[in-house]
Amino acid sequence: MCKTSQAKAVEIIQGINSFESGEKLSDSELSKIYLGVYELEKEMKNYKDSIKKVLIERRISPQYFSKEEKKVLLSEGRSSTGYDMNSIIKVAVEKNLLDELSEVSTIHATNLKEYGNKEIAGIVEVNSWKEVGNDTIKVAKMTKKELQEQNGGKA
């Protein structure tokens, strides 16, 4: 349950509005507004993280909010490939392919097929692994096309 009452949230927003309007506030008043924003921000971050976790678990499809011109979507983590260079070099030495490996090692692994022979590419493949990044939830600005689709053809 949210610890911040509706009355407290309204008080914080009114304080922010007073600050924004240029009202002359004492150090005490400004500090109280800051404290309220700080506590609310901390509490909201906990809720945001909890909701984000549930949305990731549900593997949501993009959700569009025309009024705000925003969308909430699942962004899958990026993956990368790692290489066990010690094993690759060891096998290349055993197979007398070290010269060819040194030519390939200055080139991106994605170019192995183009520059390296199949045996070197196989050695590298066997001694590599994929690292998958973490999924996350993003809020992004809707494109004009998405806005039109959500508003029945009107931007």
Side-chain angles (χ1 to χ4, degrees):
M1 198 68 167
C2 188
K3 294 179 199 171
T4 304
S5 68
Q6 188 171 355
K8 180 68 175 172
V10 168
E11 181 183 321
I12 294 168
I13 292 168
Q14 286 172 339
I16 291 169
N17 288 340
S18 295
F19 172 74
E20 286 278 307
S21 70
E23 186 178 318
K24 191 75 173 161
L25 300 168
S26 69
D27 291 348
S28 177
E29 291 169 319
L30 201 53
S31 294
K32 185 173 181 173
I33 295 167
Y34 178 84
L35 175 62
V37 169
Y38 174 84
E39 289 176 342
L40 187 60
E41 177 185 41
K42 205 166 129 181
E43 187 175 359
M44 292 301 110
K45 183 183 181 331
N46 290 335
Y47 286 114
K48 178 182 160 193
D49 292 345
S50 297
I51 292 167
K52 182 179 182 179
K53 182 179 175 186
V54 170
L55 291 172
I56 290 170
E57 288 169 0
R58 290 183 182 179
R59 314 276 315 156
I60 65 162
S61 59
Q63 304 295 308
Y64 299 94
F65 301 92
S66 300
K67 183 178 172 189
E68 294 85 358
E69 297 186 9
K70 301 282 184 186
K71 58 186 173 185
V72 176
L73 61 144
L74 175 70
S75 176
E76 295 182 349
R78 296 181 182 211
S79 64
S80 60
T81 303
Y83 299 94
D84 182 350
M85 289 307 294
N86 290 333
S87 296
I88 292 169
I89 291 170
K90 181 181 172 188
V91 173
V93 167
E94 288 171 4
K95 296 190 176 208
N96 199 25
L97 296 169
L98 196 54
D99 287 339
E100 286 191 42
L101 178 64
S102 64
E103 290 174 29
V104 173
S105 66
T106 59
I107 299 167
H108 292 287
T110 54
N111 296 332
L112 271 173
K113 292 177 185 166
E114 185 178 340
Y115 296 102
N117 72 26
K118 290 181 182 178
E119 198 168 7
I120 289 288
I123 293 167
V124 172
E125 180 70 29
V126 167
N127 292 289
S128 65
W129 63 88
K130 292 266 187 231
E131 293 179 2
V132 179
N134 295 327
D135 296 343
T136 189
I137 296 294
K138 287 185 169 184
V139 174
K141 186 166 177 59
M142 289 173 63
T143 65
K144 286 184 180 182
K145 183 180 177 185
E146 290 168 334
L147 275 169
Q148 288 173 339
E149 289 171 359
Q150 295 300 310
N151 291 325
K154 297 179 241 164

